[in-house]
Amino acid sequence: MKPIIILLTTGVLCMGCTNSPKQTSPSASDLAQKIKRFAPVVITADTARLSPADQHVLSKLVAAAKIMDTLYLVQGWEGNLTMLKTLEADGSTEGRERLHYFHINMGPWSRLDENKAFISGTPVVKPPQANYYPEKMTKEEFNEWISRLPEAEQKKATGFFTTIRRDANGKLKAVPYNEEYHDLLMRASSLLSEAAALAANPTLRSFLEKRAAAFLSNDYYDSDVAWMDLDSPIEPTIGPYEVYMDELFNYKAAFEAFIALRNNEETSKLTKFSGFLQEIENNLPIADQYKNPKLGAMAPIRVVDQVAIGGEAKAGVQTAAFNLPNDEHVVAEKGSKRVMLYNVQRAKFEKILKPIADLAIDAKQLPLIAFEPFFTHILAHELMHGLGPHSIVVSGKKTTVRQAMKEIGSAFEEAKADVAGLFALQFLIDKGAISKEMENQMYVTFLASAFRSLRFGIAEAHGRGMALQLSYLLKEGAFSYNEETGRFSVNFDQVKRAVRKLTNEMMTIQAQGNYEKAKEMLNRMAVLEPSVQRTLDKLTSIPVDIEPVTSLNQE
Ligand code: ZN
């Protein structure tokens, strides 16, 4: 009960809790149930293959990632560090569960339960302003304030790297991160400088030096550019990045870190596929006039193995791939880079996809569920975003698929990348560029992974796109459902034809910029068939995500 008293007396209350400040916290067994939704798994990589100097670099980076934890907690809520101390001092079973779940969520709000508090003495839901803005500031007050600022000041106030505070007179002001988080950023900067001095790889050294400087200057541009150019056995991503925690405006960036090692095997697989992209485009199952005779440069993709994470990266559902940077100036000049976390995908496959398959897939086809086709299809999905129609002409006017498809564009594009990914891999199998063994595995694993995507709901683009594909492929007889066993299977004699047909339909709609037709198709097909819904209902006891456990040394 101690935490309640301490926290209430420090006056840490949010706007949301004034109506019902009292709440009951879940019991230890409730918490155990919540924790069980995250399957613990060791996420690591072979650090022994690094040079001794690079191993030293790595340990500095792991220590810097830990500072991102503290920074993120401070950014989320001003009571977080005090609460963490209190939790750490509580040795009771219930106390230990609370601490465990606090670590999983990086704070006292349960992310899988609409961000409701699971510890007493905190705002009942995660405060939308986080600790980026003053507690009682409204959106209107902020907007009114910035409307009177000169443009340069306005930019700072709405920028990624400032917090908003009140001065002595209660007036709003922007405080740069290097002032607000001065001490923590000094420590992180020193660790990165020390790591830079040890690093032999010039691109790694350059990124670390520039990031160390950015933590002190609050100017992240040069270091973001250097991050794009990284080509090194160690691939660190560390700093303020995503803006989701700022639920008022999505302006402010949260600190996080992904410290990873390059996965050489998968990187060379990717290079090999990239060499076939123009040939795949030329052979897409669409009218020739819609094909792109000369594909532009693709955004770079890196496949890495995660060894440590920090800050927002730790919170709740684990990231398996990300696109950065977010700064539009860097993106305009250098593009963005996609980083795929191979070992995280593998852990999700083992802990979630396989148990789903065990319940959803026909027993005879279960031996075909395999990780390699799962990951290869994710790579193909990413690459296929770059293929097919992009710049189009609608009613004599030049436009893009994205503009023409408006709010349904992402669900449609995600489904296209999935199904065209199957088409592309089949093309490479037929050419002998990928082993024939993967053919049947790929379709069955894809069918099982459809249920994994649908579990997150069909309100979101990936889930909605997947519902469309599943309904379509069931209707075409590529997949079927057995009422007696309650399981799904792939019809290998139908699936290739159906995949070509769906790829053709979706890409043709995109090429014609036919918004109405796309909308009609989504409304008709992006629904859950009763057989699919029944299967989803069977999956409730399977973990929703993983809880990564690492055992790396740090300095
Ligand atoms: Zn995608």
Side-chain angles (χ1 to χ4, degrees):
M1 286 289 103
K2 256 187 200 149
I4 302 179
I5 298 158
I6 293 166
L7 290 162
L8 288 184
T9 50
T10 55
V12 186
L13 277 172
C14 80
M15 305 179 273
C17 29
T18 44
N19 293 333
S20 55
K22 273 213 138 183
Q23 58 188 302
T24 48
S25 59
S27 69
S29 68
D30 284 348
L31 277 177
Q33 285 302 319
K34 289 184 189 297
I35 291 167
K36 260 172 66 186
R37 295 177 295 180
F38 295 86
V41 51
V42 176
I43 300 284
T44 188
D46 180 16
T47 57
R49 66 184 157 86
L50 294 177
S51 69
D54 275 351
Q55 293 189 23
H56 208 165
V57 171
L58 187 64
S59 68
K60 302 267 182 203
L61 296 180
V62 174
K66 259 208 119 114
I67 297 176
M68 300 301 118
D69 288 351
T70 312
L71 278 163
Y72 179 70
L73 289 173
V74 171
Q75 288 186 303
W77 179 48
E78 64 173 320
N80 265 336
L81 293 185
T82 313
M83 171 160 281
L84 179 59
K85 270 211 178 96
T86 313
L87 293 175
E88 281 169 344
D90 182 350
S92 69
T93 310
E94 220 173 298
R96 282 204 305 274
E97 299 278 38
R98 275 198 290 263
L99 178 63
H100 186 179
Y101 203 47
F102 183 97
H103 282 312
I104 286 178
N105 288 286
M106 289 297 279
W109 299 284
S110 178
R111 287 164 193 271
L112 291 183
D113 305 292
E114 296 92 39
N115 285 320
K116 284 188 202 130
F118 56 89
I119 300 179
S120 318
T122 67
V124 282
V125 291
K126 198 153 77 62
Q129 79 279 14
N131 191 16
Y132 294 131
Y133 303 93
E135 220 182 289
K136 295 216 170 77
M137 187 200 79
T138 62
K139 275 179 112 156
E140 292 69 32
E141 183 187 3
F142 180 84
N143 285 330
E144 207 268 325
W145 170 59
I146 60 162
S147 72
R148 285 181 285 108
L149 291 177
E151 204 188 320
E153 295 300 306
Q154 234 175 55
K155 262 198 173 147
K156 279 184 198 156
T158 58
F160 286 118
F161 313 124
T162 57
T163 58
I164 305 302
R165 300 292 176 236
R166 291 193 192 277
D167 65 17
N169 302 317
K171 273 179 57 192
L172 296 176
K173 59 171 184 176
V175 181
Y177 279 6
N178 57 337
E179 279 177 36
E180 176 84 34
Y181 310 120
H182 178 265
D183 294 0
L184 287 164
L185 286 176
M186 285 282 280
R187 278 164 54 200
S189 175
S190 303
L191 283 161
L192 295 196
S193 295
E194 288 162 32
L198 292 161
N201 181 291
T203 65
L204 178 60
R205 196 184 327 123
S206 165
F207 169 68
L208 293 174
E209 278 168 358
K210 289 177 173 146
R211 202 52 137 192
F215 281 153
L216 303 183
S217 69
N218 215 41
D219 181 352
Y220 286 85
Y221 181 85
D222 287 347
S223 53
D224 273 344
V225 170
W227 182 80
M228 286 296 298
D229 293 334
L230 265 178
D231 185 10
S232 146
I234 306 178
E235 172 99 15
T237 302
I238 183 166
Y241 287 106
E242 305 291 356
V243 296
Y244 310 120
M245 191 162 68
D246 172 3
E247 290 172 37
L248 287 190
F249 296 107
N250 278 185
Y251 288 153
K252 308 301 172 193
F255 284 95
E256 70 179 335
F258 293 91
I259 309 301
L261 305 188
R262 181 171 58 202
N263 183 312
N264 294 324
E265 204 177 310
E266 292 300 317
T267 301
S268 50
K269 195 199 260 174
L270 191 62
T271 314
K272 184 174 148 193
F273 287 179
S274 304
F276 284 105
L277 288 177
Q278 185 67 57
E279 201 180 338
I280 297 172
E281 173 79 21
N282 298 345
N283 286 282
L284 286 175
I286 51 173
D288 283 341
Q289 79 220 58
Y290 299 143
K291 294 174 186 170
N292 183 351
K294 201 171 182 329
L295 290 175
M298 299 282 280
I301 299 180
R302 299 274 183 272
V303 185
V304 301
D305 286 309
Q306 174 179 304
V307 291
I309 47 177
E312 188 164 54
K314 280 191 177 172
V317 170
Q318 293 296 296
T319 298
F322 55 86
N323 255 330
L324 284 173
N326 289 326
D327 186 330
E328 50 276 8
H329 299 112
V330 185
V331 176
E333 199 168 303
K334 294 286 289 186
S336 64
K337 183 166 90 179
R338 183 135 184 101
V339 178
M340 305 183 65
L341 305 165
Y342 181 83
N343 54 351
V344 175
Q345 293 281 15
R346 170 152 232 149
K348 291 190 186 225
F349 173 84
E350 296 294 337
K351 299 286 177 184
I352 301 157
L353 188 69
K354 268 180 142 179
I356 286 177
D358 284 341
L359 293 177
I361 300 296
D362 181 82
K364 271 207 257 23
Q365 294 192 349
L366 270 182
L368 292 167
I369 300 286
F371 178 65
E372 208 197 327
F374 175 71
F375 191 78
T376 309
H377 181 256
I378 296 173
L379 283 183
H381 170 112
E382 296 305 334
L383 293 171
M384 294 313 284
H385 276 311
L387 271 64
H390 287 95
S391 298
I392 55 172
V393 177
V394 180
S395 322
K397 264 174 75 188
K398 272 188 119 174
T399 180
T400 62
V401 171
R402 190 208 276 271
Q403 280 172 338
M405 292 295 163
K406 296 179 271 194
E407 84 285 357
I408 54 172
S410 355
F412 214 74
E413 174 64 23
E414 290 310 326
K416 167 216 124 174
D418 271 345
V419 71
L422 291 175
F423 166 82
L425 292 180
Q426 185 63 56
F427 179 82
L428 293 176
I429 290 167
D430 294 341
K431 273 191 77 73
I434 293 181
S435 115
K436 180 89 179 155
E437 193 200 349
M438 220 201 263
E439 184 173 292
N440 289 354
Q441 292 179 340
M442 156 177 103
Y443 293 112
V444 179
T445 307
F446 176 79
L447 174 57
S449 82
F451 290 96
R452 193 182 75 108
S453 310
L454 291 175
R455 281 179 100 195
F456 292 103
I458 58 171
E460 175 273 343
H462 290 83
R464 196 162 181 223
M466 186 53 90
L468 179 146
Q469 295 172 78
L470 189 54
S471 302
Y472 189 100
L473 295 171
L474 278 164
K475 192 180 114 269
E476 285 291 326
F479 301 151
S480 52
Y481 177 69
N482 184 324
E483 290 284 348
E484 254 164 62
T485 60
R487 283 158 185 271
F488 289 84
S489 57
V490 177
N491 299 318
F492 298 116
D493 55 341
Q494 295 297 324
V495 70
K496 292 181 214 174
R497 175 196 55 79
V499 161
R500 291 180 71 91
K501 192 174 167 198
L502 180 54
T503 306
N504 167 280
E505 260 183 62
M506 299 200 78
M507 282 193 180
T508 304
I509 288 172
Q510 286 187 325
Q512 296 169 343
N514 196 334
Y515 169 81
E516 289 304 327
K517 205 166 171 188
K519 194 171 175 180
E520 186 279 323
M521 190 176 180
L522 273 169
N523 286 344
R524 184 164 41 90
M525 309 228 84
V527 291
L528 300 178
E529 309 278 326
S531 57
V532 173
Q533 186 59 59
R534 271 205 299 283
T535 305
L536 289 173
D537 294 342
K538 286 199 295 193
L539 308 178
T540 45
S541 62
I542 294 170
V544 175
D545 201 48
I546 53 164
E547 179 194 0
V549 185
T550 49
S551 53
L552 271 195
N553 293 326
Q554 49 156 26
E555 291 232 334

